[in-house]
Amino acid sequence: MKSHKYIKSILLLLSPLLVLSCAGKSELTSAKQATTDYIGTHEPFAAEAIYFVMTDRFVDGDPTNNQPEQGGAHPTFNLELTGPDGRTANVGYMGGDFQGIVNNADYIRDMGFTAVWISPIVDNPDEAFTGDKPIEFGGKFRDGGKTGYHGYWADNFWQVDEHWPSKNLSFKQMTQTLRQQYGLKTVLDIVANHGSPSFTMPKDQPKYGEIYDQQWQLVADHQNVLPEQLDSTNPLHQFFRHTPDLAQLSNLDDRNPQVRNYLINAYLYWIDQGADAFRIDTIKHVPHDFWKAFSDKIRAKHPGFFMFGEAFDYNAEHIAEHTLAKNGGISVLDFPGQQAMVKVFSDPDSDYADLLGYLHLTGGPYANPYDLTTFYDNHDMARMNASDDGFIDAHNWLFTSRGIPVVYQGSEMGFMRGTSEHEGNRNYFGQAGIQMSRQHPIHQHLAAIAKVRQAIPALQRGLQLNVKLQGQQAIFYRVLQTGEIAQTALVLLNKSDQPMEYNVSDYMQSGEWQEALSGNTLRVQDSLSSRVAAHGVQVWLHNGRVQGQELQQRLTELMRDK
């Protein structure tokens, strides 16, 4: 149960945010008179903040769908890997499901998130994989003994896996409930590069290497042969490339029109069932011409449908190619940003200047850097190994700087920090974890800054103008001026262990400024001075059209060069 002190702090937080929202609306008339637009992005999805749920490892809301006896000689439930010092990981199913997400939708919403990215929902094989070398605690790049709990081993792209729904909670019912009752959009994780593991099994296993259509008719079967041994005259082999790609996963042949139609139509179906956006797995393993055809078909029926891909690459020039219109205009997860954030927020003595290189606010390779999804860790890499203060600092940056923030389940309490995939990165979070998290300082600070972003359009879509990123201090503006609204947000970040004084005169606009978390106001003439707490954040908001020739000129340059 929450303490009265915490409830009081949340109420105090909400009050100034409501004032800010009303203040923004009161400036609509003057904003409409503006002759110049200053905006980072027109993308509607930029208003969202995303909480990433690995469904099986979140919360078991319905034990009746756990399938504890599934798999026979190759069981699929609760397959523990034991490590040193009593540490464990797991490669079996652990019970999380749609009901667990719905049961905790208020928890996600109340943290300030507006969208839930869930792992793939499609059917996966019903036995543990017997091929490859057996996976061990801390092992990498092996699939032996693992199951499809993660959802990425599809055998039928049209069917939901039996582990996720409940009697009265289909995928469609879940998305409707999240949207209508909690205001949460659903981001569906999808795969076009591969199916399930398909070869090296001692004996061919059911569903492995097989692909079925909507009526459960077999359309492809790898038949447990090596890729180079596939027969191009065999109709069941024509869904696959004859070269390996990732581990023993089947390598879908995106050049085959049947494969393209199968995948595109399947994912159109899931949009009809309530998916609001797609996160695309292994996007760089499929050629650009496929994604162009894919996005054209999707957006012909659903204009503006938002998609972002996983191109696991720290070179911005490489991942930016996916964002170009000629390649499908698909946003990406900002891996260069992830690398920089881990460096800065894991090390207390690091320098904010190390974040500058990934932003690409001007002259960068991306179609639009403001449309990128930003994050510091996920299920495919080691969780960030930072102190509580490091996580707090990371969230203060993530929810105020450019991009669409994404946070992996459990990071709101530093869950399993520093662990990789088979060391605990994907360990079960559960209802107990959620209850613990509610009292955790990381969670409380995250909720505070996420709600500030949710209330201030300038933090969602505004241009970012850096004043200082150096040492333990960061100072930057987010400016949004359109025909509907005009806001300037000044962000002050302090990642040191001591309070710090800030005096900002660069590009300062005279008038009234209000601080979002405290509700404090200042009447500013030439500079704004404030004291920011250790590991603190302040967001000062000024409503009204941009004034000052120097600021207007700098914003015009940012608009031209972004």
Side-chain angles (χ1 to χ4, degrees):
M1 184 175 181
K2 293 181 181 178
S3 67
H4 293 297
K5 182 178 180 181
Y6 180 58
I7 294 172
K8 183 178 179 181
S9 69
I10 292 297
L11 292 174
L12 288 172
L13 167 67
L14 291 175
S15 298
L17 293 183
L18 292 173
V19 172
L20 285 172
S21 297
C22 295
K25 292 177 182 178
S26 71
E27 295 293 338
L28 292 182
T29 302
S30 63
K32 288 181 179 179
Q33 299 170 0
T35 57
T36 303
D37 281 359
Y38 302 123
I39 182 168
T41 177
H42 292 279
E43 170 57 56
F45 213 84
E48 314 300 337
I50 304 170
Y51 186 74
F52 171 36
V53 165
M54 177 161 273
T55 304
D56 178 69
R57 303 308 171 86
F58 188 53
V59 173
D60 184 0
D62 178 9
T64 67
N65 62 16
N66 286 357
Q67 322 293 330
E69 306 303 322
Q70 187 183 71
H74 310 294
T76 62
F77 192 76
N78 193 23
L79 306 177
E80 191 172 271
L81 303 177
T82 303
D85 304 320
R87 292 184 294 157
T88 62
N90 206 294
V91 293
Y93 287 89
M94 300 191 72
D97 48 32
F98 293 161
Q99 191 64 59
I101 296 172
V102 169
N103 289 353
N104 294 283
D106 58 342
Y107 168 79
I108 298 170
R109 176 200 61 198
D110 293 348
M111 273 191 290
F113 292 99
T114 57
V116 184
W117 156 19
I118 65 172
S119 48
I121 62 171
V122 294
D123 194 68
N124 275 224
D126 302 333
E127 297 179 353
F129 182 54
T130 61
D132 200 8
K133 296 179 180 179
I135 187 66
E136 299 174 344
F137 182 89
K140 301 179 184 299
F141 311 118
R142 293 182 182 180
D143 286 332
K146 293 168 64 174
T147 67
Y149 71 88
H150 41 68
Y152 294 100
W153 291 356
D155 56 66
N156 191 326
F157 289 74
W158 289 85
Q159 299 291 333
V160 68
D161 192 273
E162 66 275 8
H163 291 86
W164 315 138
S166 299
K167 183 177 180 180
N168 296 309
L169 191 65
S170 65
F171 175 72
K172 184 174 184 178
Q173 290 169 320
M174 182 192 71
T175 61
Q176 290 175 336
T177 300
L178 292 179
R179 189 181 304 111
Q180 294 170 7
Q181 296 186 25
Y182 300 97
L184 294 170
K185 295 180 179 178
T186 300
V187 179
L188 181 61
D189 204 322
I190 69 167
V191 184
N193 164 245
H194 64 265
S196 61
S198 302
F199 49 97
T200 72
M201 293 169 277
K203 180 181 178 181
D204 199 5
Q205 295 178 265
K207 292 188 178 180
Y208 279 101
E210 300 169 6
I211 297 178
Y212 294 83
D213 66 14
Q214 194 170 13
Q215 289 73 43
W216 277 107
Q217 297 298 308
L218 184 67
V219 296
D221 189 352
H222 215 281
Q223 297 180 323
N224 198 27
V225 302
L226 299 175
E228 56 269 25
Q229 295 174 338
L230 290 167
D231 181 359
S232 59
T233 66
N234 184 341
L236 291 177
H237 290 183
Q238 291 171 1
F239 256 52
F240 311 112
R241 287 181 180 262
H242 297 186
T243 52
D245 187 15
L246 298 170
Q248 287 78 39
L249 300 174
S250 59
N251 189 2
L252 298 181
D253 190 353
D254 52 87
R255 302 163 298 184
N256 184 335
Q258 287 182 291
V259 174
R260 291 194 175 200
N261 289 335
Y262 177 92
L263 293 170
I264 290 170
N265 289 328
Y267 290 131
L268 281 169
Y269 170 77
W270 292 117
I271 296 175
D272 291 339
Q273 300 302 301
D276 295 293
F278 287 156
R279 180 267 189 182
I280 300 172
D281 184 67
T282 55
I283 191 172
K284 72 176 184 177
H285 292 265
V286 181
H288 292 310
D289 66 292
F290 173 88
W291 294 118
K292 181 65 167 69
F294 181 90
S295 64
D296 285 351
K297 288 287 184 67
I298 295 293
R299 288 167 177 159
K301 290 192 175 183
H302 303 278
F305 190 81
F306 186 70
M307 297 178 272
F308 61 99
E310 176 230 15
F312 205 133
D313 191 325
Y314 294 115
N315 187 319
E317 297 286 345
H318 294 168
I319 68 174
E321 293 178 359
H322 301 284
T323 71
L324 306 180
K326 67 179 182 179
N327 296 329
I330 297 170
S331 184
V332 288
L333 286 155
D334 193 344
F335 275 86
Q338 181 271 333
Q339 187 178 49
M341 278 188 261
V342 167
K343 177 182 179 181
V344 169
F345 298 116
S346 297
D347 179 3
D349 297 322
S350 62
D351 193 321
Y352 265 121
D354 290 332
L355 298 174
L356 284 168
Y358 85 84
L359 292 173
H360 296 288
L361 300 177
T362 59
Y366 303 106
N368 190 332
Y370 293 89
D371 293 344
L372 272 59
T373 45
T374 50
F375 70 111
Y376 53 77
D377 67 21
N378 64 22
H379 59 314
D380 287 329
M381 57 178 58
R383 285 182 178 265
M384 186 166 69
N385 193 15
S387 65
D388 286 2
D389 287 335
F391 276 94
I392 291 168
D393 293 333
H395 293 146
N396 289 342
W397 168 260
L398 190 67
F399 283 83
T400 56
S401 59
R402 73 105 174 104
I404 304 169
V406 181
V407 175
Y408 180 30
Q409 68 183 43
S411 291
E412 64 270 28
M413 60 176 282
F415 181 66
M416 300 306 299
R417 66 188 84 189
T419 61
S420 298
E421 177 183 345
H422 298 116
E423 296 176 335
N425 171 294
R426 300 181 179 185
N427 279 11
Y428 182 71
F429 192 43
Q431 206 66 53
I434 286 175
Q435 290 305 114
M436 289 176 59
S437 173
R438 291 180 187 274
Q439 309 301 323
H440 202 284
I442 299 175
H443 173 279
Q444 295 178 12
H445 284 270
L446 167 61
I449 194 59
K451 288 174 183 176
V452 167
R453 185 184 189 275
Q454 189 177 7
I456 299 178
L459 293 181
Q460 303 162 13
R461 299 182 290 118
L463 289 172
Q464 180 166 338
L465 172 56
N466 294 326
V467 175
K468 175 184 178 183
L469 269 72
Q470 183 179 350
Q472 306 291 301
Q473 288 187 324
I475 304 170
F476 57 92
Y477 291 98
R478 299 295 304 276
V479 182
L480 178 64
Q481 179 171 288
T482 69
E484 295 299 322
I485 193 167
Q487 289 184 332
T488 301
L490 172 64
V491 179
L492 309 178
L493 300 176
N494 173 14
K495 71 181 190 69
S496 77
D497 293 331
Q498 302 296 326
M500 299 186 76
E501 302 294 335
Y502 290 69
N503 186 280
V504 185
S505 58
D506 292 355
Y507 310 114
M508 181 54 61
Q509 298 179 83
S510 298
E512 185 172 280
W513 291 74
Q514 184 178 33
E515 204 283 305
L517 287 106
S518 65
N520 294 337
T521 60
L522 285 175
R523 193 73 187 176
V524 173
Q525 184 59 44
D526 298 316
S527 64
L528 185 150
S529 297
S530 187
R531 182 180 176 88
V532 180
H535 303 287
V537 55
Q538 292 182 5
V539 180
W540 291 90
L541 186 68
H542 174 72
N543 287 292
R545 294 173 57 194
V546 172
Q547 304 293 325
Q549 184 176 356
E550 184 182 10
L551 176 57
Q552 291 172 347
Q553 180 179 343
R554 189 70 187 94
L555 294 173
T556 299
E557 293 170 355
L558 289 172
M559 284 292 295
R560 183 189 63 219
D561 298 334
K562 70 175 166 57

